[in-house]
Amino acid sequence: GAVVSQHPSRVICKSGTSVKIECRSLDFQATTMFWYRQFPKQSLMLMATSNEGSKATYEQGVEKDKFLINHASLTLSTLTVTSAHPEDSSFYICSASFFSREGATQYFGPGTRLTVL
Amino acid sequence: GESVGLHLPTLSVQEGDNSIINCAYSNSASDYFIWYKQESGKGPQFIIDIRSNMDKRQGQRVTVLLNKTVKHLSLQIAATQPGDSAVYFCAESPSGSRLTFGEGTQLTVNP
């Protein structure tokens, strides 16, 4: 259980285009999902917290108009990178909170490699 | 804030040896701690977690130790195998909310 998927796994786009990344919790419902960005040989950096049915909460320094987040259902959150530029090239990873009797644990998706030309 | 670094700490061990990966955390309010394994090009994989009411927890070939006094966390891997080679991250969280990740440690297992 507690499987999280992401689509696509890899995307290459031209500068100025928008890219949508999907994050799905496959076997559980997730009221809260998280979006991270990871540069090579670095740790994960939290970008935003996605809450089902409400606006996302963005971390300091993350532009909400550039990284649009929609969490329209209990199993799907999407991240749209608008007007992408080469500096947006990175590994984007989502996670979903899974609640058990012991509390909440975050399970991660496989990541999406974005390359902006 | 988030830990950022250009050079991951590394640990190199021989196959069959035990590995110990250490992590220092900073938030005294954190009460939930997780170890993740990340292979190249993949998302983090949950290994084991521990809550602040415990100081030790064991899984299959892995043990996590928590020392709240000095804010230190460790992951012990018994009989390390080549498939254990990866980057290992500790993460801390107050009350099971947002996670703060450590810088990661690159584990290399030599056959």
Side-chain angles (χ1 to χ4, degrees):
Chain A
V3 178
V4 178
S5 71
Q6 276 183 248
H7 178 79
S9 59
R10 186 180 298 267
V11 57
I12 301 173
C13 68
K14 292 182 179 180
S15 185
T17 61
S18 294
V19 174
K20 179 186 284 188
I21 303 170
E22 294 185 347
C23 177
R24 295 181 185 272
S25 54
L26 297 185
D27 50 1
F28 65 103
Q29 293 183 331
T31 55
T32 304
M33 291 184 173
F34 302 86
W35 287 97
Y36 295 81
R37 180 167 51 182
Q38 185 179 35
F39 293 104
K41 296 203 180 296
Q42 293 189 17
S43 189
L44 283 74
M45 297 179 63
L46 179 64
M47 299 175 66
T49 302
S50 170
N51 299 295
E52 187 268 337
S54 64
K55 290 183 179 181
T57 304
Y58 290 82
E59 295 299 300
Q60 190 173 6
V62 178
E63 299 176 55
K64 62 179 182 180
D65 294 330
K66 180 167 183 63
F67 298 99
L68 301 179
I69 291 173
N70 185 282
H71 193 160
S73 79
L74 288 172
T75 59
L76 173 65
S77 175
T78 60
L79 169 68
T80 301
V81 183
T82 61
S83 187
H85 289 95
E87 58 266 29
D88 298 323
S89 297
S90 188
F91 193 49
Y92 291 86
I93 313 171
C94 72
S95 71
S97 284
F98 174 76
F99 289 88
S100 66
R101 287 182 299 175
E102 297 179 335
T105 300
Q106 283 190 36
Y107 289 88
F108 285 81
T112 297
R113 173 74 59 192
L114 170 63
T115 303
V116 185
L117 302 176
Chain B
E2 309 291 343
S3 294
V4 175
L6 294 177
H7 301 284
L8 288 173
T10 59
L11 174 65
S12 185
V13 300
Q14 289 298 122
E15 181 178 359
D17 287 352
N18 297 333
S19 302
I20 299 176
I21 300 172
N22 296 302
C23 177
Y25 65 94
S26 56
N27 189 350
S28 299
S30 291
D31 57 4
Y32 181 52
F33 307 87
I34 314 175
W35 280 100
Y36 289 96
K37 171 186 179 183
Q38 187 178 28
E39 297 174 279
S40 181
K42 298 183 179 179
Q45 175 188 353
F46 173 90
I47 301 175
I48 191 168
D49 60 358
I50 189 167
R51 300 192 185 269
S52 58
N53 60 349
M54 302 173 69
D55 53 22
K56 180 179 179 179
R57 192 174 189 199
Q58 289 184 292
Q60 188 175 16
R61 280 200 309 120
V62 295
T63 300
V64 55
L65 298 177
L66 173 64
N67 186 328
K68 296 181 287 294
T69 302
V70 295
K71 295 202 280 291
H72 184 268
L73 193 67
S74 69
L75 176 70
Q76 300 177 1
I77 305 174
T80 315
Q81 304 167 359
D84 294 327
S85 294
V87 177
Y88 289 81
F89 291 99
C90 66
E92 59 176 303
S93 170
S95 304
S97 59
R98 55 179 300 223
L99 292 174
T100 298
F101 280 80
E103 61 180 342
T105 296
Q106 173 72 58
L107 174 65
T108 302
V109 182
N110 302 307

